[in-house]
Amino acid sequence: MNRIKELRKIFGYSQQKLADLLGDEVTQTAVSQWESGRTAPRPARQAQLAEIFGVSEDELMGRVKPERQLSDTENSRLSEQEQHLLDCFRGTDDAGRKMIAAVADLEYERRRNELLNK
């Protein structure tokens, strides 16, 4: 059995939110069918899901045991704004993630310099 439902719940996503992260062609019904095992996501979607959840495709689809156990509390300590930023980060591709990281680095340095110069 795949781990889509388990991972979705750990990350705090509704079926609709996960469908939205995956793009216009994915519906809440498709996510529900994947979770129940009635259908399976295509390989390209499996790769996308694995990337969102930070697991291998084999882990996602239940073909191997998880490398590490995720807990329900991993994301629960985040503020709403932090969770939103994390969702945005997870929902983009490598180029988008590099851009987000670059902006975060610039802002961190700006604020650090500001504090050091007080």
Side-chain angles (χ1 to χ4, degrees), residues 81-99:
Q81 183 181 32
E82 289 169 329
Q83 186 63 53
H84 172 73
L85 291 170
L86 185 57
D87 291 346
C88 290
F89 184 81
R90 288 178 175 155
T92 190
D93 61 8
D94 285 340
R97 288 179 180 175
K98 287 177 184 175
M99 185 180 298

Side-chain angles (χ1 to χ4, degrees), residues 49-68:
L49 286 161
E51 186 174 338
I52 287 169
F53 295 132
V55 298
S56 71
E57 291 177 51
D58 285 335
E59 285 180 63
L60 175 78
M61 299 309 295
R63 295 185 287 258
V64 298
K65 288 186 177 185
E67 289 180 16
R68 67 183 185 97

Side-chain angles (χ1 to χ4, degrees), residues 2 4 22 26 29-37 39-41 45 49:
N2 71 56
I4 297 171
L22 293 167
V26 179
T29 302
V31 173
S32 176
Q33 290 177 343
W34 298 338
E35 290 180 354
S36 69
T39 63
R45 288 285 181 230
L49 286 161

